[in-house]
Amino acid sequence: MKIAGSGLKKIAGLAGPFVGLILVITIFSLMPEVSDRFLNLANIKSVATQSVIVALCALGMTLIIVSGGIDLSAASNLALSCVLVAYAINLGVPPLLAALVGVAAGGIVGFLNGFLITRLRLVPFIVTLGMMGIARGLAKWVARNQKIDAPLSWLNELMVRTPKPSWLLVSPGIWLMVLFSLVMAVLLRKTVFGRHAFAVGSNELTARLCGVWTDRVKVAVYTISGLLCGLAGVMEFSRLTVGDPTVAMGLELDIIAAVVIGGGSLSGGEGSILGTLVGVFIMAFLRNGCTMMGWPNYFQEIIIGAIIIAAVTLDRLRHRQE
Amino acid sequence: MPEQPLLSLTGISKSFGPNLVLDAVDFELEAGEVQAILGENGAGKSTLIKILSGAYKPDRGRMFISGVEYRPTGPLDGRRQGIAVIYQELNLAPHLTVEENIMLGQEESRLGLVDRKKNLERIKKVLEFLCHPEISPDIPVRKLSVGARQVVEIARALASQARILVMDEPTSSLSQEDTRRLFEIIRKLRAEGVGIIYISHFLEEVLEIADRFTVLRDGKVVGRGLIKETSVEELIQLMIGRRISELFPRLPHQPGEVILSCSGIKSARMGRPVDLELRRGEILGVAGLVGAGRTEFLRALFGLDRLEAGLVVVSGRKFRPSFTAVSIGSGLGMLSEDRQLEGLAVRMNLADNLTLSRLKPYLRAGFLNARKQKAAASSWIERINIKARSPEQKVWTLSGGNQQKVALARLLHQEAEVFLLDEPTRGIDVMSKAQIYELMGRLAADNKAVIFVSSYLPELLGVADRIAVFHRGQLVEVRPAASWTEASLMRAAITGRESDPVITGERP
């Protein structure tokens, strides 16, 4: 009885974002102008492919937000990685190694975030705000303020809509997104590290009282998130086929929005991978639907803004009922 | 018609849940007098002040200022009606200037613009009256000394034309020189006809500055009178009273070998280094006023506060406490005095809170087994009688007593050998208290050791084997509990002087 009750509660907790997603999909499916194109497989595949980059970053951001932090440098980190991959390939580095360079660079930026936050005792907002500028600047420096062209390689097939070995069904990027979602969900829910991350976010003082190495947890959290941003940078390079230092400007806010729409609390201690993915897809389907309808860009922005506010308000109400 | 007193309270009662904190309190304050309100920690003084200030509403009773009924809707309204409270932790905005702080909420303005000239005139007058014309209105408050900050706070009260000034432990963080100057100000205010309510633990100061006194005990007024007709002894006697002897379950236990010894432990927040030894099967009580350094000692011992010096040896393992994980690994366990803020992650569930300090038993191949974790939590819920619906219940939905049991269960679950308990029975119901006393006894009987800080003297005397007393940041004395009495403990805590040999029958 008890377990069934708690299971129901968990589903109810996720219901908010899910209802939002279903609502968005339903509304566009009912629009006569796009109903035939919106809910077909090709479009869904395309939305999913477009979501890969935001989703990878949002997975890491979920971990950070759960632990009570924030990362404003995620998008700049992604751009730096994207540029470095192109740069490395141009130097003649094999594609796999170039991709690893991108991921590692993301990890280093993330580690620096965590290191500075714990050593200087500064709030994450400030440190990552600074890092946002630093990483973006580095990206532009490496790229000499322009796009870096790179010869095509198999790296550029990671984000195609129709994958090369057709048995893959969807692009390798989507499979990576699924894989890392599973890994992160397990990490958050099934490991001591995940439990400690929740504890630090819920009440850092208590975590310390209980012998949690709070600083180490934080550094690990930012490093993992940085690695995921680096991977997202590789995906971005794959999609663009060039290293563009100005890519993903302002994307960090979309990433944070996805986590928050998915039930993450900016005061820490709450959030889930499934919720975040739902948040990512709500925004992706909205963009996609609006574009199909031929609605202007600003319309999308207004709707997404309204949805963020509505999602958090609903979340509040749900908590008050508890 | 006789003249109305400046302030009068009749039949003020207030309870929090089942706890009756104030029980039909009557109180009168005349214009131009300093009246002391005395009582032990938890006697109801703070609640009474909060009611006066308007922060709490009384359940019953009425208040009058100069005969006019006073019914504040909140602290701001209370201040407007002439009651200014100066709290222990001063209520100033550190980044704002002296002027901005004093005039906050009462700025002189014209057409919405701040009229600085008028502001400065008012401030100048007030600061001159307080004999502190040297305090510049333009410097940010954070750059002032504690004493000067207090003057600013008093200046704010005067600028708002307060007729009644409540001072809560005003000297606890002041130097002697600042205290002397504060007293001059108080005398001057008294001469101007301001009524002053003075709350302090330092009885000598009270004897020096107050005209009358009122003593609270367990929420009731148990004595009042003229200061010149009383003595420290009488005041202490009134404060502790003759209490109905409570039952403290005593399980037989014998002190064994030394399990913990600390040498020269000192953090920045402590006055002097502390040396102490604790044996297996021993309960050490720690007495002292709030802020005397008891909590700071425990925190330093556990590695929560930055250590300046000192070493700890637990079961033969020597270390310098600075990481809680190391302390826990060597057998220490700490219960925080502040459950909500530090002791528990109240937004997390019971199982997570209970097991957080030792998750190892639930690991298999690196993964947590949540079911096992919940089962373990369930068994603890039963073993120490926590009233909860399920191990997945959020901790903030539990009552205070049950929350405390969760925090204690965590220490038991982590298999601590030395229990550092800071105010383990504060704010919890009588039943839970008794269970916690019993638990401490059982721990001692199991050859573990307990250090517990408490402000409640009967429980210290009833439960502890030895009692240590802290005063103004220093450990004053450690003696077997049997050689202490409530009066001697109180005296040592208040005066910092070692107890009177006449009462205890032994030379210090």
Side-chain angles (χ1 to χ4, degrees), chain B residues 10 20 100 115 140 150 195 212 237 243 249 252 261 293-294 302-303 306-307 313 336 381 393 398 481 494 502:
Chain B
T10 55
L20 188 60
E100 286 160 341
D115 187 342
Q150 200 158 37
R212 284 199 292 167
Q237 211 33 253
R243 261 182 285 243
S261 69
R294 312 170 297 174
F302 191 61
R306 232 185 120 86
L307 213 64
V313 185
S336 169
I381 290 175
Q393 197 176 341
L398 300 173
I494 289 173
V502 176

Short mmCIF file of all heavy atoms in Angstrom, two decimals, chain B residues 10 20 100 115 140 150 195 212 237 243 249 252 261 293-294 302-303 306-307 313 336 381 393 398 481 494 502:
data_model
loop_
_atom_site.label_atom_id
_atom_site.label_comp_id
_atom_site.label_asym_id
_atom_site.label_seq_id
_atom_site.Cartn_x
_atom_site.Cartn_y
_atom_site.Cartn_z
N THR B 10 -1.48 42.92 31.40
CA THR B 10 -2.28 42.15 32.34
C THR B 10 -2.65 40.80 31.72
O THR B 10 -3.17 40.74 30.61
CB THR B 10 -3.59 42.88 32.71
OG1 THR B 10 -4.29 43.19 31.50
CG2 THR B 10 -3.32 44.16 33.46
N LEU B 20 2.91 25.81 27.13
CA LEU B 20 2.51 27.10 27.64
C LEU B 20 3.79 27.86 27.99
O LEU B 20 4.48 27.52 28.93
CB LEU B 20 1.63 26.91 28.89
CG LEU B 20 0.97 28.17 29.43
CD1 LEU B 20 0.06 28.81 28.40
CD2 LEU B 20 0.17 27.84 30.68
N GLU B 100 21.56 56.51 7.17
CA GLU B 100 20.52 55.70 6.53
C GLU B 100 19.90 54.70 7.49
O GLU B 100 18.70 54.45 7.47
CB GLU B 100 21.11 54.99 5.31
CG GLU B 100 21.35 55.91 4.15
CD GLU B 100 22.35 55.36 3.14
OE1 GLU B 100 23.13 54.45 3.49
OE2 GLU B 100 22.36 55.87 2.03
N ASP B 115 15.10 64.47 2.45
CA ASP B 115 15.58 65.78 2.87
C ASP B 115 16.76 65.58 3.80
O ASP B 115 16.60 65.43 5.01
CB ASP B 115 14.45 66.54 3.58
CG ASP B 115 14.85 67.98 3.90
OD1 ASP B 115 16.06 68.27 3.88
OD2 ASP B 115 13.95 68.78 4.15
N PRO B 140 29.60 53.76 6.71
CA PRO B 140 28.78 52.55 6.74
C PRO B 140 28.89 51.87 8.11
O PRO B 140 29.96 51.85 8.72
CB PRO B 140 29.39 51.65 5.67
CG PRO B 140 30.43 52.43 4.98
CD PRO B 140 30.72 53.66 5.76
N GLN B 150 25.77 49.70 18.74
CA GLN B 150 24.67 49.70 19.68
C GLN B 150 24.15 51.12 19.89
O GLN B 150 22.95 51.34 20.00
CB GLN B 150 25.15 49.12 21.00
CG GLN B 150 24.02 48.65 21.84
CD GLN B 150 24.50 47.64 22.83
OE1 GLN B 150 25.59 47.76 23.35
NE2 GLN B 150 23.71 46.64 23.07
N GLY B 195 11.08 54.81 29.66
CA GLY B 195 10.99 53.59 30.45
C GLY B 195 11.86 52.53 29.81
O GLY B 195 11.80 52.33 28.60
N ARG B 212 14.03 48.30 39.51
CA ARG B 212 13.16 47.23 39.97
C ARG B 212 13.46 45.97 39.18
O ARG B 212 14.13 46.02 38.15
CB ARG B 212 11.69 47.62 39.75
CG ARG B 212 11.17 48.62 40.77
CD ARG B 212 9.66 48.60 40.79
NE ARG B 212 9.06 49.12 39.56
CZ ARG B 212 7.77 48.98 39.25
NH1 ARG B 212 6.96 48.30 40.05
NH2 ARG B 212 7.29 49.49 38.14
N GLN B 237 18.01 32.33 43.58
CA GLN B 237 17.04 31.45 44.22
C GLN B 237 15.67 31.57 43.53
O GLN B 237 15.01 30.58 43.25
CB GLN B 237 16.92 31.81 45.72
CG GLN B 237 16.60 30.69 46.64
CD GLN B 237 17.19 29.34 46.21
OE1 GLN B 237 16.46 28.48 45.75
NE2 GLN B 237 18.49 29.17 46.35
N ARG B 243 12.07 23.32 42.45
CA ARG B 243 11.34 22.63 41.40
C ARG B 243 10.84 21.29 41.86
O ARG B 243 11.45 20.64 42.71
CB ARG B 243 12.22 22.47 40.18
CG ARG B 243 11.92 23.52 39.14
CD ARG B 243 12.78 23.28 37.93
NE ARG B 243 14.14 23.69 38.22
CZ ARG B 243 14.77 24.68 37.57
NH1 ARG B 243 14.14 25.35 36.65
NH2 ARG B 243 15.99 24.98 37.85
N PRO B 249 15.51 8.70 34.50
CA PRO B 249 15.84 7.28 34.56
C PRO B 249 17.36 7.11 34.58
O PRO B 249 18.05 7.67 33.74
CB PRO B 249 15.25 6.72 33.26
CG PRO B 249 15.09 7.91 32.36
CD PRO B 249 14.91 9.10 33.24
N PRO B 252 22.39 1.92 35.41
CA PRO B 252 23.72 1.81 36.01
C PRO B 252 24.80 1.78 34.93
O PRO B 252 24.68 1.07 33.94
CB PRO B 252 23.67 0.47 36.73
CG PRO B 252 22.54 -0.27 36.13
CD PRO B 252 21.56 0.75 35.65
N SER B 261 40.21 12.25 24.30
CA SER B 261 40.88 13.31 25.05
C SER B 261 41.24 14.39 24.05
O SER B 261 41.69 14.12 22.95
CB SER B 261 42.11 12.78 25.77
OG SER B 261 43.10 12.44 24.85
N GLY B 293 30.22 29.68 24.90
CA GLY B 293 31.29 28.91 24.27
C GLY B 293 31.07 27.41 24.29
O GLY B 293 31.94 26.66 23.85
N ARG B 294 29.92 26.97 24.77
CA ARG B 294 29.67 25.53 24.85
C ARG B 294 29.52 24.93 23.46
O ARG B 294 30.16 23.94 23.12
CB ARG B 294 28.36 25.26 25.63
CG ARG B 294 28.26 26.02 26.92
CD ARG B 294 26.86 25.91 27.50
NE ARG B 294 25.87 26.51 26.62
CZ ARG B 294 24.57 26.46 26.81
NH1 ARG B 294 24.08 25.83 27.85
NH2 ARG B 294 23.74 27.04 25.97
N PHE B 302 34.37 18.67 16.75
CA PHE B 302 33.87 17.83 15.67
C PHE B 302 34.45 18.25 14.31
O PHE B 302 34.26 17.55 13.32
CB PHE B 302 32.34 17.92 15.63
CG PHE B 302 31.70 16.90 14.74
CD1 PHE B 302 31.86 15.54 14.98
CD2 PHE B 302 30.94 17.28 13.65
CE1 PHE B 302 31.27 14.59 14.17
CE2 PHE B 302 30.34 16.33 12.82
CZ PHE B 302 30.50 14.99 13.09
N GLY B 303 35.14 19.39 14.28
CA GLY B 303 35.72 19.82 13.01
C GLY B 303 34.79 20.66 12.17
O GLY B 303 34.97 20.78 10.97
N ARG B 306 36.58 26.29 12.06
CA ARG B 306 38.00 26.30 11.74
C ARG B 306 38.84 26.28 13.01
O ARG B 306 38.69 27.15 13.88
CB ARG B 306 38.30 27.57 10.96
CG ARG B 306 39.03 27.36 9.69
CD ARG B 306 39.34 28.73 9.13
NE ARG B 306 40.78 28.87 9.02
CZ ARG B 306 41.44 28.46 7.95
NH1 ARG B 306 40.80 27.91 6.95
NH2 ARG B 306 42.75 28.60 7.89
N LEU B 307 39.72 25.32 13.11
CA LEU B 307 40.50 25.15 14.32
C LEU B 307 41.76 26.01 14.28
O LEU B 307 42.43 26.09 13.27
CB LEU B 307 40.90 23.68 14.45
CG LEU B 307 41.01 23.14 15.86
CD1 LEU B 307 39.65 23.19 16.53
CD2 LEU B 307 41.52 21.72 15.81
N VAL B 313 42.19 12.93 20.45
CA VAL B 313 42.47 11.50 20.35
C VAL B 313 41.19 10.75 20.68
O VAL B 313 40.61 10.94 21.75
CB VAL B 313 43.57 11.07 21.33
CG1 VAL B 313 43.91 9.60 21.11
CG2 VAL B 313 44.81 11.94 21.18
N SER B 336 23.33 18.66 16.06
CA SER B 336 23.39 20.12 16.02
C SER B 336 22.29 20.73 16.89
O SER B 336 21.22 20.16 17.06
CB SER B 336 23.24 20.60 14.59
OG SER B 336 23.02 21.98 14.56
N ILE B 381 12.77 3.50 12.96
CA ILE B 381 11.54 4.19 13.33
C ILE B 381 10.86 3.43 14.46
O ILE B 381 10.38 4.02 15.43
CB ILE B 381 10.60 4.30 12.11
CG1 ILE B 381 11.17 5.30 11.11
CG2 ILE B 381 9.20 4.71 12.53
CD1 ILE B 381 10.40 5.39 9.82
N GLN B 393 8.55 9.76 4.35
CA GLN B 393 7.94 11.02 4.75
C GLN B 393 9.00 12.11 4.84
O GLN B 393 10.10 11.88 5.32
CB GLN B 393 7.27 10.83 6.11
CG GLN B 393 6.28 11.91 6.46
CD GLN B 393 5.58 11.61 7.77
OE1 GLN B 393 5.57 10.47 8.24
NE2 GLN B 393 4.99 12.64 8.36
N LEU B 398 7.33 16.23 10.34
CA LEU B 398 7.33 15.60 11.66
C LEU B 398 7.31 16.65 12.76
O LEU B 398 7.71 17.79 12.56
CB LEU B 398 8.58 14.73 11.84
CG LEU B 398 8.79 13.57 10.86
CD1 LEU B 398 10.15 12.94 11.10
CD2 LEU B 398 7.69 12.54 11.01
N ALA B 481 28.97 15.51 38.94
CA ALA B 481 27.65 16.12 39.03
C ALA B 481 27.16 16.20 40.47
O ALA B 481 26.48 17.15 40.86
CB ALA B 481 26.66 15.34 38.16
N ILE B 494 27.02 32.28 35.63
CA ILE B 494 26.79 33.72 35.56
C ILE B 494 28.03 34.53 35.89
O ILE B 494 28.37 35.49 35.22
CB ILE B 494 25.64 34.12 36.51
CG1 ILE B 494 24.31 33.62 35.94
CG2 ILE B 494 25.58 35.63 36.70
CD1 ILE B 494 23.14 33.81 36.87
N VAL B 502 31.77 26.69 50.47
CA VAL B 502 30.89 26.46 51.60
C VAL B 502 29.74 25.53 51.19
O VAL B 502 29.35 24.63 51.91
CB VAL B 502 30.32 27.79 52.14
CG1 VAL B 502 29.33 27.53 53.27
CG2 VAL B 502 31.46 28.68 52.62
#
